[in-house]
Amino acid sequence: MKRALVGDIGGTNARFALWENNAMHSVQVFATADYTSPEQAIGAYLAAQGLARGELEAVCLAVAGPVSGDEFRFTNNHWRLSRQAFCRALQVKQLLLINDFTAMALGMTRLQADECREVCAGVADAGRPAVVIGPGTGLGVGTLLALGDGRWMALPGEGGHVDLPVSTPREAQIHQQIALETGHVSAETVLSGGGLLRLYQAVCALDGQQATLQSPAAITDAALAGDPVALAVIEQFCRFLGRVAGNNVLTLGGRGGVYIVGGVIPRFAELFLRSGFAESFADKGCMSGYFKNVPVWLVTAEFSGLLGAGVALEGVNA
């Protein structure tokens, strides 16, 4: 394939790169709030790279949300995209839109040994699905299947919007407290950047504490500095993530392993690795033994979604 553009567009940031000779280069990150549309942001990227519109053979964008039809509305930002209008504006013949966690799952096929850390020891069953899950602006969930002969399939889905699982009296109290604010409590309601703040506020309300911290970053910083309330919130966040990840393994037969991705967990990686994630992950009653040899990795690679978009583009044009 000649020169193409790949993009990974989330709620907060849009990442773009050029894709040539089955490899990615020239990565730049743009704040979605600074641009009115993906066309405008890509136009700025092309200008920064010294490229004119019409010089790209194809574009693949990984986007947060279900993909169908001509028009796509981004789940966690204000952008909209019409396939036909996009291709006209940027003079592109081929536009491939894929779910962001389809791209993230495909990105795991390019993962290097130094780009992940072991969370739970095990041996991946190459013939079974792998689960890719990650808290960021929202909560993404994807599935990766090995087809043999170096071929892969990623299954899109909206697993971040399943109900938040509750397994202890304390978690039931937290669920009820959050439901007073949000109504329905999905996994993403808690397991996301904004969800971390919501969880902190719920814990403070239940324990009669004043909620003095005003952002996810402030909660993370306080936990890393040893604040007991913030530490308890991070611990509960990790346990909820373990429950959701474990549910996905059971549902999918995901003995190919679990990849923890996204921008939230790496900010407190050491706390995560010491947390009750692994205990909650396998806390499934009579099915707890199912998790004995299922590996879990924390992915530290910065641009897996972009790489996955390139892998998807190569597959379409193979």
Side-chain angles (χ1 to χ4, degrees), residues 43-58:
Y45 173 79
L46 292 176
Q49 298 299 319
L51 297 173
R53 300 182 182 213
E55 291 192 54
L56 299 173
E57 181 178 356

Side-chain angles (χ1 to χ4, degrees), residues 169-171 173-174 177 198-211 227-234 236:
R170 174 66 167 178
E171 290 174 357
Q173 290 179 325
I174 291 171
Q177 182 66 35
R198 191 173 289 115
L199 177 61
Y200 166 76
Q201 292 168 340
V203 167
C204 287
L206 287 171
D207 295 343
Q209 300 272 358
Q210 186 174 358
D227 178 82
V229 176
L231 280 169
V233 169
I234 293 292
Q236 185 60 67

Side-chain angles (χ1 to χ4, degrees), residues 109-125:
T109 68
R110 296 292 185 94
L111 200 64
Q112 303 299 310
D114 62 350
E115 293 180 325
C116 61
R117 301 179 66 178
E118 185 179 83
V119 181
C120 300
V123 179
D125 184 337

Side-chain angles (χ1 to χ4, degrees), residues 177-248:
Q177 182 66 35
I178 293 174
L180 294 174
E181 174 197 348
T182 65
H184 178 252
V185 183
S186 69
E188 182 177 276
T189 304
V190 169
L191 296 173
S192 57
L196 180 60
L197 179 59
R198 191 173 289 115
L199 177 61
Y200 166 76
Q201 292 168 340
V203 167
C204 287
L206 287 171
D207 295 343
Q209 300 272 358
Q210 186 174 358
T212 58
L213 303 174
Q214 300 299 315
S215 69
I219 297 165
T220 299
D221 290 344
L224 293 172
D227 178 82
V229 176
L231 280 169
V233 169
I234 293 292
E235 173 65 19
Q236 185 60 67
F237 188 96
C238 295
R239 286 183 174 271
F240 275 135
L241 181 59
R243 299 198 190 288
V244 174
N247 284 353
N248 275 277

Side-chain angles (χ1 to χ4, degrees), residues 236-313:
Q236 185 60 67
F237 188 96
C238 295
R239 286 183 174 271
F240 275 135
L241 181 59
R243 299 198 190 288
V244 174
N247 284 353
N248 275 277
V249 168
L250 287 179
T251 300
L252 297 166
R255 297 185 62 82
V258 177
Y259 297 91
I260 305 295
V261 299
V264 173
I265 298 298
R267 295 176 183 173
F268 50 83
E270 299 305 324
L271 293 178
F272 174 72
L273 293 171
R274 297 196 300 269
S275 76
F277 169 89
E279 180 183 351
S280 296
F281 175 64
D283 181 21
K284 302 300 180 188
C286 65
M287 290 302 296
S288 295
Y290 188 84
F291 295 82
K292 184 176 182 180
N293 206 35
V294 177
V296 180
W297 304 278
L298 173 60
V299 176
T300 57
E302 193 172 6
F303 299 117
S304 295
L306 276 178
L307 278 170
V311 172
L313 202 52

